[in-house]
Amino acid sequence: MVRSFMRSSRLILGLVTALTLMASPAFAAKSSKKAAGPNPTQTAMNDALAKYKDIPEGKNADYIPALAKVDPNIYGIVVVTVDGKVYTAGDVTSEVSIQSISKVFAMAKVMEEQGPDALLNNMGVDATGQVFNSIVAVEQYKGSEMNPMVNPGAITTTSMISGATPEEIWGRIIGIHSDCAGRQLKVNQEVYESEAATNQRNQAIAMLMYAYGHIKDNPLRACDIYTKQCAISVNAKDLATMAATLANGGKNPVTGKQAIQTANIPKILAVMATAGLYDDSGKWLYATGLPAKSGVGGGILAVVPNRCTLAVWSPGLDESGNSCAGQAALDAFTTLTGWSVF
Ligand code: DON
């Protein structure tokens, strides 16, 4: 599926130019100086943007009614390096809900509170080979043999975050997201209410995970907090900064704040590599060699450990719930730069 986006050589051509330039040491050196002419980083990313923004594939998620109303033309690309340089092209300020990308940061919070084995011992860290909200995947192994990136594992992950009240739990969730983004994030109330009114399937998943003993109590509360977490409002620049925090050993490279424990980063990236794009994670990893995470809002981020991150925002999704143009851009990027972890 990832490769199906590579058909159009017209689209790839611009990114080839952009990323070849970006990958070269001369480019990096030039871009850190104040040049008299146009900044080469900006020129290259603008070029990539121009070639990709009209990619025809994909459509907005509509099972969450508010997402169907998101402007399908939002298209932004951001690179953040581990030394804190930020390169942007296109629309990097329009805010859309983070959706499943939040699962990464909820996972980080549980690992911080309970250690790296808590999630492993609860729902597991294996690929399900099923769609992200599969009930079959829950039934197959009674809620085990899955991972924190698919909805059953993610709702369970959220249920494990400490706090005596929903407000306390929420404070911890929004706190880690904001620390990784480097600014105080908020919830898009319309998206939250829209999903909360239509998330009966996730409620059923939460009840099943409770029935099988993975969620210890309050399954519907966990589902509600998870729904709110998915409605956190971010732009492409936030996403890239959050990912750069992962690339930089858990320390936000823009603010300098240690947001995630360094020791947990390799395990978080391993789960992203295994299941970040759900049942397409194998194809994704084969194509790019990078841990990544997508969300049905249209965001997708990939992490080049100890180097940089690339985030793309484009709401048109494929049938697995992953951004079409996001995958195409990131696939081309990593093919050209050779930035595979392998
Ligand atoms: O639970 C859901 O269905 C959404 N709030 C999140 C799903 C999602 O983002 C899947 N990712 N690509």
Side-chain angles (χ1 to χ4, degrees), residues 63-64 98-101 103 132-133 151 195 202 226 230 278 293-297 320-322:
Y63 75 98
I64 300 170
I98 190 168
Q99 297 298 336
S100 283
I101 299 169
K103 294 166 178 173
F132 62 82
N133 58 0
N151 289 10
E195 185 166 4
N202 278 346
Y226 160 83
C230 287
Y278 312 113
K293 188 72 203 82
S294 62
V296 288
S320 293
N322 302 317

Side-chain angles (χ1 to χ4, degrees), residues 270-291:
V271 174
M272 288 167 66
T274 303
L277 274 78
Y278 312 113
D279 44 326
D280 274 350
S281 296
K283 288 190 210 74
W284 168 265
L285 201 57
Y286 191 82
T288 66
L290 290 181

